[in-house]
Amino acid sequence: MLQQGRVRASYRTDLVTVLLGTWFSLGLFLDAWAHSNVPELETFFTPWHAVFYSGFAATGAWISWQVWRNVQAGRRGLAAVPEGYGPAVLALPVFAVCGFGDYLWHTFIGIEQGIDILFSPTHLGLITSMIVILTTPLRTAWADGGSPSFLRFLPAGLALSFATALVLLFAQYADATVYGPEGIIRAFSFEKGAGGSGGATRLAASITVTNLVLLAPLLLAVRRFRVPVGTATLLQVVVMLLSTAVANYENLEIAAAFVVSGIVADVLLWKLRPSEERLREYRVFAFAVPLVTWALYFAVAGVSVGRMPGVTEMWTGAPIVAALHGLLLAVVLVPTRRS
């Protein structure tokens, strides 16, 4: 019997996968918003869970249909699973089991409404399997590499963006995007109402975590693709749309600053063309993007409030620290030029 080769998912298949994944992701962010903003939430059966789990059902049915069509065409085993879809096929039952576990958890232990939502074992199982499912179009594109157009790269770009947003969602305790301008200024002014130096410590730590979460996907993608212009802006728009919802729309000015930084990052992608082969440009990109991002972060906060933070060292040094972290990440990801 001849060994059957793996099939490749079409562009349309990947596009539908990521659009259903968008439904899936929005349901999760609605649920996260509800856990943080609806104090009387006392049941598993909510409109937000309905959006979330129906999105999972639709995504799972679509992926299962792709495999079943190949089985009907005579393919067997792995040959029936499109390239890049294998991990998602395994993650679907894991998600279903964790979803049932989450129902039991809420029924017998209760509904989380604070930071504990981010550490619930069932939630961690859900988010891990969900990211595996959502990044399916990215794995399909990864097999191709090359220099795709923005439209061709769109399913992979959206998958990358939603995965980044979900990682940041589960790092809410260290998410600098949810700060409003007043909170930023007060924290780095060491004001007592903002926790004094403790408030500054929390913001500084949040900047470090958020910087790495936002930058790592771009640096990873640049290693594999000639990333099309618009990808960085797409990532920031998706992350900020969901971030503002979680922050109850109290960080709109800061969200706008991140979107502008995405545009600047796209200009740098176009000008520098960073890659493993162009190591100097890769490292310059990794240094420059955080520097611009966090400089805009403090500039917009200062303009919105009418003053800059009272401790000059904090707001002038934080963008430089973030840039150095970006450079270090680039060195770790690509220590030497590929021969």
Side-chain angles (χ1 to χ4, degrees), residues 224-237:
R224 180 59 178 164
F225 307 98
R226 173 75 169 89
V227 177
V229 173
T231 301
T233 304
L234 175 67
L235 186 147
Q236 294 287 32
V237 167

Side-chain angles (χ1 to χ4, degrees), residues 112-126:
E112 304 90 350
Q113 291 186 313
I115 193 173
D116 50 346
I117 189 177
L118 306 174
F119 291 89
S120 164
T122 54
H123 288 172
L124 294 174
L126 287 169

Side-chain angles (χ1 to χ4, degrees), residues 4 28 65 82 84 97 100 105-106 117 180 184 202 211 219 246 249 265 283 291 326 336-337:
Q4 295 175 313
L28 177 62
W65 169 245
V97 169
F100 181 68
W105 187 281
H106 289 328
I117 189 177
I184 295 168
R202 285 192 293 274
N211 181 54
L219 293 182
V246 172
Y249 302 101
R283 292 175 177 174
L291 185 67
T336 59
R337 181 181 287 105

Side-chain angles (χ1 to χ4, degrees), residues 63-327:
I63 292 174
S64 299
W65 169 245
Q66 301 312 309
V67 177
W68 178 246
R69 284 199 315 172
N70 291 327
V71 171
Q72 291 292 90
R75 293 183 173 273
R76 296 292 181 266
L78 284 177
V81 182
E83 284 193 35
Y85 280 68
V89 170
L90 296 176
L92 288 172
V94 173
F95 184 95
V97 169
C98 290
F100 181 68
D102 195 43
Y103 164 70
L104 295 177
W105 187 281
H106 289 328
T107 300
F108 295 105
I109 297 180
I111 306 292
E112 304 90 350
Q113 291 186 313
I115 193 173
D116 50 346
I117 189 177
L118 306 174
F119 291 89
S120 164
T122 54
H123 288 172
L124 294 174
L126 287 169
I127 195 69
T128 302
S129 53
M130 184 177 180
I131 288 175
V132 173
I133 295 167
L134 289 176
T135 50
T136 298
L138 178 62
R139 289 190 295 274
T140 300
W142 196 272
D144 295 329
S147 304
S149 66
F150 179 78
L151 187 61
R152 184 70 189 175
F153 193 69
L154 184 59
L158 283 171
L160 187 70
S161 301
F162 277 110
T164 303
L166 294 182
V167 171
L168 199 55
L169 173 67
F170 268 69
Q172 280 183 59
Y173 43 83
D175 181 2
T177 71
V178 300
Y179 279 73
E182 185 70 32
I184 295 168
I185 300 301
R186 295 183 66 194
F188 272 10
S189 296
F190 292 7
E191 292 183 10
K192 290 184 178 179
S197 61
T201 299
R202 285 192 293 274
L203 178 56
S206 296
I207 289 172
T208 297
V209 172
T210 304
N211 181 54
L212 295 177
V213 171
L214 293 177
L215 185 61
L218 282 177
L219 293 182
L220 184 65
V222 164
R223 287 188 60 191
R224 180 59 178 164
F225 307 98
R226 173 75 169 89
V227 177
V229 173
T231 301
T233 304
L234 175 67
L235 186 147
Q236 294 287 32
V237 167
V238 169
V239 172
M240 290 311 119
L241 282 174
L242 301 177
S243 169
T244 52
V246 172
N248 218 17
Y249 302 101
E250 295 176 357
N251 63 335
L252 292 176
E253 299 95 333
I254 300 305
F258 278 102
V259 172
V260 172
S261 75
I263 296 171
V264 174
D266 275 320
V267 172
L268 290 172
L269 280 173
W270 173 55
K271 286 287 189 180
L272 294 173
R273 294 182 291 114
S275 67
E276 285 186 291
E277 292 78 14
R278 295 168 58 83
L279 188 58
R280 182 181 63 183
E281 289 80 3
Y282 185 81
R283 292 175 177 174
V284 169
F285 178 79
F287 182 89
V289 170
L291 185 67
V292 171
T293 298
W294 299 103
L296 283 169
Y297 183 79
F298 291 109
V300 169
V303 170
S304 299
V305 176
R307 62 186 175 96
M308 296 303 289
V311 183
T312 305
E313 293 85 350
M314 297 302 297
W315 65 270
T316 57
I320 298 173
V321 171
L324 291 172
H325 286 160
L327 179 59

